[in-house]
Structures are given as C-alpha cells and as structure tokens.
Amino acid sequence: MKRLSVIWLVSMLLCMTTGVYANNEFKLIRKNGPTHLYERWITVDKEQVRELKAVFSVRSDITSIVKLLQSQQHGTQWQTKASAYTVKMLQEPVARINYIQYDLPAVMDDQDCLLLYAIPMGLVPDAQSCVVLFSSTADSQYPVKSGVKRISGVKGSWKLEKQPGELVQVTYTISSDRDKKIPRFISDPIIQDNIFKSMSSFKKLLEQ
C-alpha cells in the first residue's frame, strides 16, 4: 500500500506540472493584515492564466493545519463564501475529494469546484514542512448542477513550513481556467477579498 501511495503522489505531481510554465516571478498586489497576496501569469497548455499566492504565518503546527484542511465540519467556517463543503474519503489513504460550492454576488454566477487532494504520508507531530497538493477532478457523486458554474482547471497547493516561535508559514497557491465572461475589474476584487477573508478565518480557527 505504501508503494502504491508513493506512485500515486508522484503521478499527481507530474500531472500538475505538465504543460505549466511560469512566465515571471510573483509580484505583491495587496496586503491585508498578516496576509500578503501575490500574482503572476503562467502558461497552461498554451493558455495564459493567472496564479495567485497568499502567504501568512499562524501559531499552530503542521499536523493541525493538515487536519483542518480535511475537516468537513469546519469547511464552511473558514471558506467564507462556501455554502457547501464536503470531504469524500477514498480507498487510497493519502487522497481525498473535496467538493465546495460558493454563493457569489449577483454579478457572478454561483460556482463550485471538485478537487482531488494529495495528503502527505506518514506526517509526524513535529514535522518541519510538507506540501498538500490539489487539482480539479471528476466524480459521479458530484455532477454539475443547473445554475452553478463548475470551476475547471484548478491546480494549487498548501506549502507549510515550520518557523521559530511555534509559528508555521503557510503559502497557498491556486490557478484555474480563465472565465472570459466576467471582466477582471469586477472579478478581481471579489476573488481577492474572498482569499483574504478565508485565510483570516483559517488562521483564527487554528489559533483558538
């Protein structure tokens, strides 16, 4: 089983990086409290898409953060725009499927996404670092709903690094296929505010 898990994780890494090319370095676009938000443009299968990166520190430990990421009970508490947050366990012990539905302002359609998570194997309480990967997937249990737009091409990660003083630096990155129907001057503030609020709620839950 461990050998299969290693093979699966390597395959996941290859799938997430194939056809993805960074055009430039991340640049800071906004700061809200302890969270810094960066962006850069990357090429995914010959298409230009934006990759966002949020960085903040939290007084917690890596195992607690990974546990919260897998918690269905707390999902809508930190995903501030989420009306539904479910976690489906798979036979593969390091894999999870995460369904999230977002209720968005009237200028945008409600959206959802279905993500396959790769959870590190053998995570110990005093782990110094780890990376949790996620990407879009499909599952018959979660069909596309009428009136809800399925976000496609999602790729991202949670990079967790132990810091001095019982702190963990969290680096969250995400990209997805472009939605060409909504102008950026409308969608950008909504997306950015949602990331800031979600990261703030995530931090508060961990530090309670």
Side-chain angles (χ1 to χ4, degrees), residues 78-165:
W78 68 269
Q79 287 270 8
T80 54
K81 294 294 185 181
S83 59
Y85 188 103
T86 63
V87 177
K88 178 182 178 180
M89 311 300 256
L90 301 178
Q91 290 184 344
E92 172 60 57
V94 296
R96 306 285 186 274
I97 286 181
N98 184 197
Y99 172 79
I100 311 169
Q101 181 174 330
Y102 302 97
D103 287 341
L104 299 176
V107 293
M108 298 178 68
D109 293 332
D110 287 345
Q111 299 180 352
D112 67 4
C113 62
L114 192 61
L115 305 175
L116 178 64
Y117 267 77
I119 310 297
M121 290 187 306
L123 197 60
V124 295
D126 60 347
Q128 297 299 300
S129 66
C130 85
V131 178
V132 177
L133 303 172
F134 59 87
S135 64
S136 287
T137 191
D139 189 295
S140 59
Q141 186 175 331
Y142 302 98
V144 176
K145 299 179 181 179
S146 175
V148 179
K149 176 179 171 54
R150 176 65 51 91
I151 305 171
S152 62
V154 178
K155 293 181 176 68
S157 67
W158 294 81
K159 183 179 180 181
L160 313 174
E161 299 173 290
K162 189 71 176 174
Q163 303 292 311

